[in-house]
Amino acid sequence: MKRREHWGSSLLFVMAAAGSAVGLGNIWKYPYIAGQNGGAAFTLIYIFWVVVIGLPLIIAELLVGRASQKDAVGAYKKLSGPNSPWWLAGALGVLTGFLILSFYSIIAGWAVAYTFKTVSAFLFSGDFLALQTAEESEAIFIKFSGHPIYPVVWHGLFMVICIYIVSRGIKSGLEACNKILMPILAGILALLVVRSVTLPGAMEGIEFLWYPDFSKINEESILIALGQASFTLSIGMGAMITYGSYLGRSENVPKSAFWTASTDTLIALLAGLAIFPAVFALGGEPTAGPSLIFVTLPVVFNHMPLGGFFGACFFAFLSIAALTSAISLLETVTAYFVDEKEWSRKKAAWIMGGIIFLLGVPCCLSYGPIQDFKIFGKNFFDLLDYLTTNIFLPFGGLLLSIFVGWFWRRRLATEAFLTGSKSARLASLWFICIRYVIPILVIVVFIAKLLGKG
Ligand code: TRP
């Protein structure tokens, strides 16, 4: 048996965990669903879920991973005994990771494509910069995303980069990549926020983000906020179990989890601050939906001084954030095949990455040739997104909290919590959240949603 690789230091681990958390969820999804669900009111509910459910669950996942030193399925198996059905909860997680990456990589591919387009337009003044109106921008976006070949190629390129990084392992793959990219990410974001909030007329966007409109809140938006909190923190599918399994005994897990969750939330809020003031200042539509950043922003950038430069920065920022998250999704799937099926890391990453690529193709085409193919009124892409984000992730989180709260004995769970962190008070607060608060809240939200529909 090879010795399990471990993260080089606490800081590098937090960078990797935050790299997983900060992604398209923060920059692409959060602004548009906040825009559609009441702005500030939605943000408050989302932050509530992050504190009450998100943080305790990240801690729980990391502890389960560290205690077992195994992938998501192996962790449940090891802690619950070989004949217990709990491994199924881990298997649901691995499947979820598989499905999420197949649509995640499509948007990531768009981001990479838009980075190239804006950079080349900035350098050579191509047609991208000549965009004047939202209609023009939308036409370009529809032509690009609906093309039967190009977006698939960008999706493939993005997957190849991911697979390459994951196949190199923890230290020279994931850690090396996060160590370089996370500081760049922070730098670009700071630049964009300053640019956006100093535009004349930015106040309206800030108001939209900070003054709550509670009339837009209903069961659906509460569930969406819950899904969003799980998605953006990378919890509910064992990604944090997997990252935790590369931790040594001395790590202070609650502290690292706290930094991961705060960085993630802060970056979502800052991304909102980089986007909305600019959108309002330049007369864009804040409720535009998934295309907000691909349709509205290019026009916005085009109307500001040095817009080509800021546009290129923005899409590079988006691509980097997507990459550091996507590798955590692929790592979760890969670790399962490495630990449980004893495949080599290279083989697992390439084969699974390849299958994910193939599954992504229909997602990609659901913006073009097969957009009229609908199941439950949603195209293939939206269906996968809705199912995984709003159903599988909260459900996976529910299973994990029941497992840790009721089956992994309290003594063991608390002991794990207290290795590294010394506060017994915090440990019992955490345990109460896991054992009672999370299961009850998640079940209530699910039931409310079901009844609300019926
Ligand atoms: N958190 C990432 C984002 O916000 C996406 C992501 C990465 C994820 N790994 C995950 C979501 C694991 C759920 C589970 O973009």
Side-chain angles (χ1 to χ4, degrees):
M1 264 298 267
K2 262 187 32 194
R3 266 194 65 219
R4 197 173 190 78
E5 275 195 279
H6 279 166
W7 303 105
S9 72
S10 285
L11 180 66
L12 289 170
F13 163 65
V14 172
M15 273 195 189
S20 164
V22 175
L24 295 176
N26 307 56
I27 307 156
W28 164 67
K29 245 185 184 184
Y30 163 73
Y32 89 77
I33 52 178
Q36 287 174 333
N37 290 285
F42 178 85
T43 303
L44 288 177
I45 299 177
Y46 149 71
I47 292 179
F48 171 79
W49 288 134
V50 168
V51 175
V52 176
I53 292 193
L55 186 56
L57 274 181
I58 305 191
I59 297 177
E61 281 204 22
L62 290 175
L63 290 178
V64 164
R66 184 180 64 178
S68 62
Q69 298 283 302
K70 287 280 186 194
D71 67 290
V73 173
Y76 274 107
K77 264 194 201 155
K78 185 155 173 188
L79 301 184
S80 68
N83 296 321
S84 123
W86 272 107
W87 66 271
L88 284 166
L92 174 71
V94 173
L95 176 73
T96 309
F98 202 87
L99 298 176
I100 291 183
L101 187 52
S102 72
F103 73 80
Y104 201 84
S105 166
I106 307 300
I107 311 291
W110 293 353
V112 179
Y114 267 58
T115 310
F116 278 90
K117 283 173 195 277
T118 36
V119 169
S120 65
F122 178 56
L123 294 179
F124 312 113
S125 163
D127 64 343
F128 219 65
L129 269 190
L131 285 176
Q132 288 302 326
T133 62
E135 287 73 34
E136 278 175 314
S137 177
E138 189 169 8
I140 290 194
F141 175 71
I142 290 177
K143 190 163 151 229
F144 166 71
S145 62
H147 195 280
I149 298 170
Y150 294 138
V152 177
V153 173
W154 289 107
H155 154 59
L157 177 72
F158 182 79
M159 281 307 300
V160 167
I161 302 175
C162 265
I163 294 171
Y164 175 73
I165 296 172
V166 169
S167 71
R168 293 179 54 100
I170 299 308
K171 278 231 165 77
S172 40
L174 286 86
E175 195 173 284
C177 161
N178 281 305
K179 187 161 67 181
I180 301 172
L181 295 182
M182 290 309 282
I184 300 182
L185 197 74
I188 305 183
L189 181 61
L191 189 74
L192 290 169
V193 170
V194 171
R195 173 67 274 192
S196 175
V197 297
T198 51
L199 286 169
M203 224 21 232
E204 220 185 315
I206 296 175
E207 260 173 39
F208 177 79
L209 270 177
W210 293 110
Y211 286 89
D213 171 6
F214 282 102
S215 66
K216 290 238 179 67
I217 298 298
N218 53 27
E219 303 85 12
E220 175 80 8
S221 43
I222 292 172
L223 176 72
I224 293 181
L226 173 63
Q228 172 63 11
S230 322
F231 187 88
T232 183
L233 294 173
S234 303
I235 47 180
M237 55 149 272
M240 290 295 157
I241 297 183
T242 311
Y243 270 25
S245 75
Y246 305 117
L247 278 176
R249 301 274 152 222
S250 59
E251 182 72 22
N252 183 338
V253 166
K255 192 166 144 201
S256 311
F258 172 80
W259 282 113
T260 305
S262 343
T263 310
D264 185 69
T265 311
L266 185 71
I267 293 198
L269 299 180
L270 287 178
L273 208 54
I275 294 171
F276 281 110
V279 168
F280 276 90
L282 300 157
E285 187 47 62
T287 55
S291 59
L292 178 71
I293 60 175
F294 292 98
V295 172
T296 314
L297 283 187
V299 186
V300 168
F301 287 125
N302 193 36
H303 286 273
M304 62 169 73
L306 268 188
F309 172 72
F310 287 108
C313 284
F314 177 80
F315 287 108
F317 169 65
L318 190 62
S319 310
I320 293 174
L323 182 64
T324 56
S325 299
I327 54 180
S328 74
L329 290 160
L330 186 59
E331 174 61 31
T332 309
V333 178
T334 303
Y336 165 71
F337 286 91
V338 171
D339 287 350
E340 303 305 302
K341 306 283 173 209
E342 303 194 350
W343 289 13
S344 76
R345 174 168 273 279
K346 259 211 176 97
K347 172 177 164 194
W350 281 100
I351 294 186
M352 289 304 129
I355 301 178
I356 291 170
F357 166 74
L358 292 178
L359 187 64
V361 173
C363 287
C364 197
L365 299 182
S366 63
Y367 277 87
I370 59 168
Q371 57 182 312
D372 295 324
F373 175 74
K374 297 231 155 101
I375 314 169
F376 304 121
K378 291 187 175 4
N379 67 25
F380 196 74
F381 182 103
D382 294 336
L383 185 73
L384 263 189
D385 181 10
Y386 190 90
L387 261 185
T388 51
T389 307
N390 297 330
I391 314 286
F392 289 4
L393 290 182
F395 187 66
L398 174 67
L399 290 179
L400 184 91
S401 64
I402 295 177
F403 176 74
V404 172
W406 297 86
F407 290 86
W408 199 28
R409 258 157 269 129
R410 176 175 190 144
R411 185 177 60 77
L412 293 179
T414 324
E415 242 172 53
F417 187 101
L418 288 173
T419 324
S421 142
K422 294 280 165 266
S423 168
R425 245 226 213 121
L426 272 186
S428 38
L429 189 65
W430 167 76
F431 197 75
I432 291 170
C433 267
I434 292 288
R435 191 174 163 105
Y436 303 105
V437 179
I438 296 178
I440 293 172
L441 283 178
V442 174
I443 291 172
V444 167
V445 173
F446 272 144
I447 293 178
K449 165 74 171 84
L450 285 178
L451 295 181
K453 268 247 156 130

